[in-house]
Amino acid sequence: MSAREAILKKVRGALNASAGDAERAAAVGERLAKAPKGIIPARGQLPRAGRIELFCTMAKKLSATVERVDGKDAVPKAVAAYLRQRNLPAALRMGEDDRLTGMPWDSERSLQVKYGPSDGNDEVGLAHATAAVAETGTLVMTSGNGNPTSINFLPEHHLVVVDADDIDGDLEAALGRIRTGYGKGKMPRTVNLISGPSRSADIEQKIILGAHGPRALHVIVVGE
Protein backbone atom coordinates (compact mmCIF):
# COMPACT_ATOMS: atom_id res chain seq x y z
CA MET A 1 0.00 0.00 0.00
CA SER A 2 1.39 3.38 -1.02
CA ALA A 3 1.54 6.39 1.31
CA ARG A 4 -1.28 8.01 -0.69
CA GLU A 5 -3.52 4.95 -0.33
CA ALA A 6 -2.76 4.76 3.38
CA ILE A 7 -3.77 8.41 3.91
CA LEU A 8 -6.98 8.01 1.90
CA LYS A 9 -7.84 4.86 3.85
CA LYS A 10 -7.53 6.78 7.12
CA VAL A 11 -9.71 9.60 5.76
CA ARG A 12 -12.37 7.13 4.64
CA GLY A 13 -12.23 5.42 7.99
CA ALA A 14 -12.78 8.72 9.82
CA LEU A 15 -15.74 9.49 7.54
CA ASN A 16 -17.08 5.95 7.81
CA ALA A 17 -17.03 5.72 4.01
CA SER A 18 -15.87 3.08 1.54
CA ALA A 19 -13.81 3.48 -1.62
CA GLY A 20 -16.71 2.43 -3.84
CA ASP A 21 -19.42 4.57 -2.24
CA ALA A 22 -21.48 5.56 -5.30
CA GLU A 23 -23.75 7.86 -3.31
CA ARG A 24 -20.85 9.96 -2.03
CA ALA A 25 -19.26 10.05 -5.48
CA ALA A 26 -22.52 11.32 -6.96
CA ALA A 27 -22.79 14.01 -4.27
CA VAL A 28 -19.24 15.23 -4.95
CA GLY A 29 -19.87 15.26 -8.70
CA GLU A 30 -23.03 17.31 -8.28
CA ARG A 31 -21.29 19.85 -6.04
CA LEU A 32 -18.46 20.29 -8.55
CA ALA A 33 -20.92 20.71 -11.40
CA LYS A 34 -23.15 23.13 -9.49
CA ALA A 35 -20.80 24.98 -7.15
CA PRO A 36 -22.71 27.22 -4.70
CA LYS A 37 -22.13 30.98 -4.86
CA GLY A 38 -20.93 32.93 -1.85
CA ILE A 39 -22.03 36.35 -0.67
CA ILE A 40 -21.11 39.06 -3.19
CA PRO A 41 -20.71 42.70 -2.01
CA ALA A 42 -23.17 45.17 -3.50
CA ARG A 43 -20.54 47.83 -4.29
CA GLY A 44 -19.73 46.45 -7.73
CA GLN A 45 -23.27 45.54 -8.73
CA LEU A 46 -23.73 48.51 -11.03
CA PRO A 47 -24.79 49.20 -14.62
CA ARG A 48 -22.01 49.02 -17.22
CA ALA A 49 -21.10 52.72 -17.05
CA GLY A 50 -21.02 52.61 -13.26
CA ARG A 51 -18.71 49.58 -13.24
CA ILE A 52 -16.26 51.28 -15.60
CA GLU A 53 -16.21 54.46 -13.51
CA LEU A 54 -15.77 52.52 -10.26
CA PHE A 55 -12.90 50.48 -11.74
CA CYS A 56 -11.08 53.61 -12.88
CA THR A 57 -11.57 55.26 -9.48
CA MET A 58 -10.33 52.25 -7.52
CA ALA A 59 -7.33 51.69 -9.81
CA LYS A 60 -6.23 55.29 -9.32
CA LYS A 61 -6.50 54.86 -5.54
CA LEU A 62 -4.00 52.02 -5.88
CA SER A 63 -1.43 54.34 -7.53
CA ALA A 64 -2.17 53.21 -11.08
CA THR A 65 -2.71 55.73 -13.87
CA VAL A 66 -5.76 55.28 -16.06
CA GLU A 67 -6.51 56.45 -19.58
CA ARG A 68 -9.65 55.92 -21.64
CA VAL A 69 -9.72 55.69 -25.44
CA ASP A 70 -12.65 55.27 -27.81
CA GLY A 71 -11.33 52.25 -29.69
CA LYS A 72 -8.43 49.83 -30.08
CA ASP A 73 -6.95 51.81 -32.98
CA ALA A 74 -6.18 54.62 -30.53
CA VAL A 75 -4.03 52.41 -28.29
CA PRO A 76 -0.68 52.77 -30.17
CA LYS A 77 -0.97 56.57 -30.03
CA ALA A 78 -1.78 56.43 -26.30
CA VAL A 79 1.20 54.14 -25.65
CA ALA A 80 3.58 56.38 -27.60
CA ALA A 81 2.32 59.43 -25.70
CA TYR A 82 2.88 57.66 -22.37
CA LEU A 83 6.49 56.93 -23.30
CA ARG A 84 7.18 60.50 -24.46
CA GLN A 85 5.63 62.08 -21.37
CA ARG A 86 7.92 60.03 -19.12
CA ASN A 87 11.01 60.40 -21.29
CA LEU A 88 11.17 56.65 -21.88
CA PRO A 89 12.75 54.91 -24.89
CA ALA A 90 10.32 54.41 -27.78
CA ALA A 91 10.30 50.65 -27.36
CA LEU A 92 8.08 48.08 -25.69
CA ARG A 93 7.67 44.34 -25.28
CA MET A 94 4.36 42.51 -25.75
CA GLY A 95 3.00 39.03 -26.42
CA GLU A 96 1.26 37.68 -29.48
CA ASP A 97 -2.31 38.39 -28.39
CA ASP A 98 -4.38 38.97 -31.53
CA ARG A 99 -6.10 41.91 -29.84
CA LEU A 100 -2.72 43.63 -29.51
CA THR A 101 -1.01 42.58 -32.73
CA GLY A 102 -4.06 43.66 -34.71
CA MET A 103 -3.66 47.28 -33.60
CA PRO A 104 -2.12 49.81 -36.05
CA TRP A 105 1.39 49.95 -34.58
CA ASP A 106 2.78 51.10 -37.93
CA SER A 107 1.07 54.43 -37.33
CA GLU A 108 3.73 55.15 -34.67
CA ARG A 109 6.83 54.84 -36.82
CA SER A 110 9.29 55.74 -34.10
CA LEU A 111 7.96 53.00 -31.79
CA GLN A 112 9.90 49.73 -31.68
CA VAL A 113 7.67 46.78 -30.82
CA LYS A 114 9.26 43.51 -29.69
CA TYR A 115 7.31 40.30 -29.25
CA GLY A 116 7.53 37.37 -26.85
CA PRO A 117 8.34 36.90 -23.15
CA SER A 118 10.44 39.48 -21.34
CA ASP A 119 13.99 38.56 -20.36
CA GLY A 120 14.15 41.28 -17.73
CA ASN A 121 15.83 43.88 -19.92
CA ASP A 122 12.65 45.57 -21.14
CA GLU A 123 11.73 48.86 -19.55
CA VAL A 124 8.15 48.81 -20.85
CA GLY A 125 5.79 45.87 -21.24
CA LEU A 126 2.30 45.83 -22.75
CA ALA A 127 -0.33 43.19 -22.04
CA HIS A 128 -4.05 42.69 -22.54
CA ALA A 129 -6.22 41.87 -19.54
CA THR A 130 -8.76 39.08 -19.71
CA ALA A 131 -11.03 40.90 -17.30
CA ALA A 132 -11.07 43.55 -14.57
CA VAL A 133 -12.82 43.86 -11.20
CA ALA A 134 -14.62 47.14 -10.58
CA GLU A 135 -15.00 46.86 -6.80
CA THR A 136 -11.23 46.64 -6.21
CA GLY A 137 -9.65 48.16 -9.34
CA THR A 138 -8.00 44.82 -10.08
CA LEU A 139 -6.77 43.52 -13.44
CA VAL A 140 -7.21 39.82 -14.20
CA MET A 141 -4.33 38.51 -16.32
CA THR A 142 -4.19 35.00 -17.81
CA SER A 143 -0.95 33.40 -18.97
CA GLY A 144 -0.12 32.08 -22.43
CA ASN A 145 1.75 33.00 -25.61
CA GLY A 146 -0.61 35.91 -26.12
CA ASN A 147 0.29 37.49 -22.79
CA PRO A 148 3.42 35.96 -21.19
CA THR A 149 3.44 36.26 -17.42
CA SER A 150 6.97 37.68 -17.47
CA ILE A 151 5.63 40.87 -19.03
CA ASN A 152 3.45 41.40 -15.95
CA PHE A 153 6.41 41.47 -13.56
CA LEU A 154 9.78 42.19 -15.17
CA PRO A 155 9.49 45.56 -16.98
CA GLU A 156 9.65 48.74 -14.90
CA HIS A 157 6.52 50.10 -16.59
CA HIS A 158 3.56 47.78 -17.05
CA LEU A 159 0.93 48.98 -19.53
CA VAL A 160 -2.31 47.01 -19.66
CA VAL A 161 -5.15 47.25 -22.15
CA VAL A 162 -8.60 46.22 -20.95
CA ASP A 163 -11.85 46.31 -22.89
CA ALA A 164 -14.59 48.27 -21.15
CA ASP A 165 -16.97 45.38 -21.80
CA ASP A 166 -14.67 43.07 -19.80
CA ILE A 167 -14.95 45.06 -16.56
CA ASP A 168 -17.01 43.01 -14.12
CA GLY A 169 -18.47 44.15 -10.86
CA ASP A 170 -16.84 41.49 -8.68
CA LEU A 171 -14.11 38.86 -8.69
CA GLU A 172 -16.58 36.00 -8.91
CA ALA A 173 -17.95 37.31 -12.19
CA ALA A 174 -14.42 37.80 -13.57
CA LEU A 175 -13.44 34.22 -12.70
CA GLY A 176 -16.68 33.02 -14.26
CA ARG A 177 -15.71 34.87 -17.43
CA ILE A 178 -12.42 32.92 -17.53
CA ARG A 179 -14.17 29.57 -17.02
CA THR A 180 -16.65 30.35 -19.77
CA GLY A 181 -14.01 31.66 -22.15
CA TYR A 182 -11.56 28.78 -21.77
CA GLY A 183 -14.00 25.94 -21.16
CA LYS A 184 -14.08 23.19 -18.55
CA GLY A 185 -10.71 21.53 -18.06
CA LYS A 186 -8.89 24.14 -20.16
CA MET A 187 -8.11 26.84 -17.61
CA PRO A 188 -4.88 28.83 -18.12
CA ARG A 189 -1.86 27.68 -16.16
CA THR A 190 -1.63 30.99 -14.30
CA VAL A 191 -4.14 33.71 -13.37
CA ASN A 192 -2.59 36.87 -11.90
CA LEU A 193 -4.65 39.47 -10.06
CA ILE A 194 -2.90 42.84 -10.30
CA SER A 195 -4.00 45.74 -8.12
CA GLY A 196 -1.73 48.72 -8.72
CA PRO A 197 2.07 48.72 -9.20
CA SER A 198 4.36 46.54 -7.10
CA ARG A 199 4.89 47.89 -3.59
CA SER A 200 6.36 47.02 -0.23
CA ALA A 201 6.49 48.59 3.24
CA ASP A 202 8.94 46.11 4.76
CA ILE A 203 11.49 48.79 5.61
CA GLU A 204 10.37 51.23 8.32
CA GLN A 205 6.76 50.87 7.13
CA LYS A 206 7.41 53.20 4.20
CA ILE A 207 5.72 52.39 0.89
CA ILE A 208 8.27 51.70 -1.86
CA LEU A 209 6.92 51.26 -5.38
CA GLY A 210 8.59 48.73 -7.66
CA ALA A 211 10.00 46.62 -4.85
CA HIS A 212 9.14 43.25 -6.42
CA GLY A 213 7.92 44.18 -9.89
CA PRO A 214 6.83 47.15 -12.02
CA ARG A 215 6.99 50.51 -10.28
CA ALA A 216 4.37 51.97 -12.62
CA LEU A 217 1.08 50.58 -13.85
CA HIS A 218 -0.80 52.34 -16.63
CA VAL A 219 -4.24 51.06 -17.62
CA ILE A 220 -5.79 51.85 -21.00
CA VAL A 221 -9.54 51.25 -20.99
CA VAL A 222 -10.86 50.73 -24.52
CA GLY A 223 -14.46 51.69 -25.28
CA GLU A 224 -17.08 54.06 -23.99
Side-chain angles (χ1 to χ4, degrees), residues 89-152:
L92 75 151
R93 168 78 61 177
M94 69 181 187
E96 300 173 1
D97 191 309
D98 292 340
R99 295 168 295 182
L100 294 177
T101 58
M103 295 174 180
W105 295 102
D106 291 343
S107 63
E108 298 297 327
R109 297 184 179 181
S110 63
L111 189 60
Q112 179 187 9
V113 180
K114 296 174 285 186
Y115 298 93
S118 175
D119 60 2
N121 294 315
D122 303 295
E123 193 156 5
V124 180
L126 177 69
H128 203 296
T130 299
V133 181
E135 65 179 356
T136 57
T138 299
L139 295 162
V140 182
M141 314 295 293
T142 52
S143 63
N145 290 333
N147 292 285
T149 299
S150 59
I151 292 178
N152 297 339

Side-chain angles (χ1 to χ4, degrees), residues 41 43-44 51 54-62 132-140 168-171 193-196:
R43 180 170 62 174
R51 293 197 304 271
L54 177 60
F55 168 78
C56 294
T57 299
M58 296 304 297
K60 290 175 183 177
K61 286 184 177 181
L62 295 170
V133 181
E135 65 179 356
T136 57
T138 299
L139 295 162
V140 182
D168 295 304
D170 50 81
L171 177 61
L193 305 178
I194 297 177
S195 302

Side-chain angles (χ1 to χ4, degrees), residues 148-201:
T149 299
S150 59
I151 292 178
N152 297 339
F153 299 109
L154 296 183
E156 285 283 290
H157 293 258
H158 188 202
L159 280 61
V160 180
V161 177
V162 61
D163 292 332
D165 289 336
D166 293 337
I167 298 177
D168 295 304
D170 50 81
L171 177 61
E172 289 79 0
L175 294 178
R177 181 187 295 275
I178 296 175
R179 294 190 187 97
T180 300
Y182 281 83
K184 189 173 179 63
K186 298 179 182 180
M187 291 288 282
R189 184 176 181 86
T190 303
V191 177
N192 294 120
L193 305 178
I194 297 177
S195 302
S198 170
R199 69 189 67 207
S200 175

Side-chain angles (χ1 to χ4, degrees), residues 73-103:
D73 288 350
V75 171
K77 182 178 180 180
V79 170
Y82 176 91
L83 300 181
R84 286 195 300 271
Q85 291 165 5
R86 289 158 181 79
N87 199 29
L88 293 169
L92 75 151
R93 168 78 61 177
M94 69 181 187
E96 300 173 1
D97 191 309
D98 292 340
R99 295 168 295 182
L100 294 177
T101 58
M103 295 174 180

